[in-house]
Amino acid sequence: MFTSDRQFRERLEPGLRRVMVVDGNPHAAALIVDIIKGLGGRDVRTAKSQDGGLALARDLEPTLIFLERHGPDLNGEMLARAIRRSYYGCRRAPIIMVSAEAAASGIRGARDAGVHEFLRKPFTSADVVRRIENVVTRPRDWVEAVSYVGPDRRRFNSGEYPGEAKRKDDRPVAATSHEEIHDRAMRILAAALDQFDLDTTQALRAIREQAQILKAMALKTSDTTLASAVGALEVTLAASPANRATLTPTITQLMMLKPAPAPLRPTPLRPTPPTEDQIKRLRQG
C-alpha cells in the first residue's frame, strides 16, 4: 500500500535519491535494498565492512544511510561517528541503525553515536518505511558540539525499547524554543573552549556552527548587541591561526549576554461589531 501511493512516494523521494546500506550479511542488506527500490529508490548501494562503508559514504554522498550495528569487520556506532565527524557531503544525512538487539544500552549507544532512528530485526517492510518517513519528513535540529555530533537526541526514536529505564528525553517533546537554542549554543561554546586542546578540529567546527546559529538568532530578534558580539567572534575565527587564547575573550564576552526576547507574532485585528445605534443610522440612511 506504500508503494502505490504516488503522493507518499513523492514525499520520500528527496531522501531516497542515493541510499547506502552497510551490513555484513548480504541477505539482510538485500531485504532493505528491495524495500527501498519498491519505494522508488534507484541508486542504492551496499557495503559489507566499516572501511568499505566509509569509502562508499565519501564517494556516493548518500541522502540516507542504513547501518548494521555489529558484524564482521563492522562496528556501526564507530562508523556513524566517523561519518558525523568527517568532511563528507553526507555527514548530516539521516542514519538508521539496524540491530537484532534492542537493549537499553544498545539504543543509547546508537543515539549517542549520532543516528536518527533505531530499527530492530526482524523487521517488516512497514517498519522500514515508517523509519524512512520519520527521517525524511520530520527533520530534527542539528547539534554540532565536541563530544557529540548529530541530530537532537531528545527526539531520538527509542520506541523499540519499552522498559522503565527509557529516558524522558527520548519521548516526543515540543519544538525547540528561542531560549533553548540560545542556551544550548552557549553550553556548546563553553564545552568547545574547555575541550579545545583535546580535539581542536571539532572544537573549531562546533564554535563556527554556534556562531552561525547565534547570528541567525540576532537577525531574527534584531539584537544588535548579540550581532556585534558574534561578529567579533567571526573575526577571531577568520584570523590565522585561531586558538584557545585568542578565542577565549570573545566567547566569554558572548556568553555574558542575555538573549533578547523572541519576536512576538502580530495578533490579527478583528473588526468591532457595530452598535445598535450605528445599525439604526445605517438603516435610516
Side-chain angles (χ1 to χ4, degrees), residues 210-224:
Q210 305 322 305
Q212 291 300 311
I213 291 172
L214 293 171
K215 184 177 182 179
M217 181 181 296
L219 292 173
K220 186 176 182 179
T221 59
S222 300
D223 189 338
T224 56

Side-chain angles (χ1 to χ4, degrees), residues 95-118:
I95 297 178
I96 299 174
M97 183 71 75
V98 185
S99 176
E101 301 176 1
S105 59
I107 291 174
R108 285 195 297 268
R111 180 198 64 198
D112 294 341
V115 310
H116 284 71
E117 295 273 336
F118 191 92

Side-chain angles (χ1 to χ4, degrees), residues 95-212:
I95 297 178
I96 299 174
M97 183 71 75
V98 185
S99 176
E101 301 176 1
S105 59
I107 291 174
R108 285 195 297 268
R111 180 198 64 198
D112 294 341
V115 310
H116 284 71
E117 295 273 336
F118 191 92
L119 177 64
R120 183 181 181 181
K121 293 179 178 178
F123 50 78
T124 66
S125 59
D127 294 330
V128 177
V129 173
R130 190 159 49 246
R131 298 302 188 277
I132 295 174
E133 182 183 15
N134 284 343
V135 300
V136 173
T137 65
R138 301 180 182 91
R140 289 154 58 186
D141 292 339
W142 184 259
V143 178
E144 189 78 47
V146 180
S147 59
Y148 174 76
V149 181
D152 189 339
R153 288 179 285 188
R154 296 176 304 163
R155 291 158 178 79
F156 179 78
N157 176 24
S158 58
E160 298 286 358
Y161 177 71
E164 294 181 359
K166 180 176 177 178
R167 281 179 31 144
K168 292 181 179 179
D169 283 350
D170 292 339
R171 301 166 188 168
V173 296
T176 307
S177 69
H178 173 83
E179 291 77 12
E180 288 175 326
I181 295 172
H182 178 274
D183 291 345
R184 182 171 63 192
M186 294 303 173
R187 289 196 302 270
I188 292 175
L189 286 173
L193 273 183
D194 184 59
Q195 303 172 44
F196 194 89
D197 296 331
L198 297 177
D199 190 344
T200 301
T201 300
Q202 185 56 37
L204 284 170
R205 184 150 60 178
I207 292 170
R208 290 190 178 96
E209 179 74 13
Q210 305 322 305
Q212 291 300 311

